[in-house]
Amino acid sequence: MSVARRPLLTATAAGTLLCALWFVPSANATDEERPPGGVRTTVRQDGGEGGEAGGARLAETGSPDTTPYLIGGTGFLAVGAGFVALAMRRGGRAS
């Protein structure tokens, strides 16, 4: 009977993890504080520069470095393919 409950427990754990990750706050690129020692300037819609009144500036982050993500994704893909190959090999012996 414990073997029949194993997929249910796995699905419950995965669903709980996904629900928990749903509430992780995401980062935003707005400037919430004044820069230290600087005067905040914003561009108004009419093209003129404004003083400290209104408008939010976006952070200048540049282009993201995707190399670690590509290496990690390729590694996980290789491990997953290895697990599939192992499962196919074990399934072939049982038949």
Side-chain angles (χ1 to χ4, degrees), residues 2 8 17 32 38 50-51 55 61 87:
S2 65
L8 180 63
L17 180 63
E32 295 179 2
T61 58

Side-chain angles (χ1 to χ4, degrees), residues 21-51:
L21 289 176
W22 179 272
F23 294 104
V24 172
S26 53
N28 57 9
T30 57
D31 184 19
E32 295 179 2
E33 297 180 11
R34 292 182 66 178
V39 176
R40 173 186 265 174
T41 60
T42 58
V43 178
R44 295 188 309 223
Q45 288 183 352
D46 60 357
E49 280 196 22

Side-chain angles (χ1 to χ4, degrees), residues 5-20:
R5 290 185 184 175
R6 192 172 298 160
L8 180 63
L9 291 174
T10 303
T12 303
T16 304
L17 180 63
L18 287 175
C19 287

